[in-house]
Amino acid sequence: GAGVSQTPSNKVTEKGKYVELRCDPISGHTALYWYRQSLGQGPEFLIYFQGTGAADDSGLPNDRFFAVRPEGSVSTLKIQRTERGDSAVYLCASSLYGTSSGANVLTFGAGSRLTVL
Amino acid sequence: GDSVTQMEGPVTLSEEAFLTINCTYTATGYPSLFWYVQYPGEGLQLLLKATKADDKGSNKGFEATYRKETTSFHLEKGSVQVSDSAVYFCALTTGTASKLTFGTGTRLQVTL
């Protein structure tokens, strides 16, 4: 597609429930990233995919968080047993390549706002 | 670890005023530096970048120079417009790492 698409744009759930957030990256982009942005803060890295594999998942806060990218395109971020502290905007980004820092420009989606009551 | 420190906002300016948003960084390697902008209701957009010391990134009248000696990447614009009102994020990435480390963001509000 023309840009990075994220669904849903807003999700309200109750504490303890399971949530899935979807990201559809730019067509042809091999690298995909998930970030979390809490209110008044900058985005924090969660996980990075190169193709189908998670190349770096060091930002996932705990084992309630999991992400997949089974066919190397669309990715799903899964959160189990949600807690109020999980409330944030979850951002997805993609890039043509996943390496070589300076040349690797990320394009972000508009985000999925998660509210856990 | 890597970190980015930005001046706190909000920054409120009148249209046509000069803008500076300070950004300093700490990095273990040789970082590439970025400014991203988030307009109300929109996703993060890359504003400009610099990949090595003394490089100047520029876009839409905004400029930032990569200063290795002061570990800084301050954002400047000579004459701001109301349409520049947004949140600005300084960010870096190092070596072969692909993840960005962001500052906390600085909200800019420009009034007529």
Side-chain angles (χ1 to χ4, degrees), chain A residues 11-19 81-84 114-117:
Chain A
K11 175 71 177 178
V12 179
T13 191
E14 294 179 342
K15 181 175 178 295
K17 298 290 188 183
Y18 170 80
V19 167
R81 305 183 304 280
T82 52
E83 299 177 357
R84 292 192 180 89
L114 174 66
T115 303
V116 182
L117 300 177

Side-chain angles (χ1 to χ4, degrees), chain B residues 6-22:
Chain B
Q6 290 182 235
M7 64 187 288
E8 287 193 20
V11 174
T12 303
L13 294 173
S14 299
E15 200 170 46
E16 300 183 0
F18 184 85
L19 168 71
T20 300
I21 300 178
N22 290 337

Side-chain angles (χ1 to χ4, degrees), chain A residues 6-12 19-22 90 111-113:
Chain A
Q6 292 189 245
T7 54
S9 55
N10 273 288
K11 175 71 177 178
V12 179
V19 167
E20 288 190 352
L21 306 175
R22 175 189 167 104
Y90 289 82
S112 292
R113 181 179 298 278

Side-chain angles (χ1 to χ4, degrees), chain A residues 92-115:
Chain A
C92 178
S94 69
S95 64
L96 192 56
Y97 307 108
T99 58
S100 301
S101 60
N104 187 33
V105 177
L106 275 62
T107 301
F108 283 83
S112 292
R113 181 179 298 278
L114 174 66
T115 303

Side-chain angles (χ1 to χ4, degrees), chain A residues 35 37 42 45 58 98 101-102 105, chain B residues 32 46 49 89 95 98-100 103:
Chain A
Y35 285 78
Q37 186 175 13
F45 171 80
S58 61
S101 60
V105 177
Chain B
S32 293
L46 177 65
K49 67 174 183 176
F89 292 91
S98 299
K99 59 192 180 188
L100 288 163

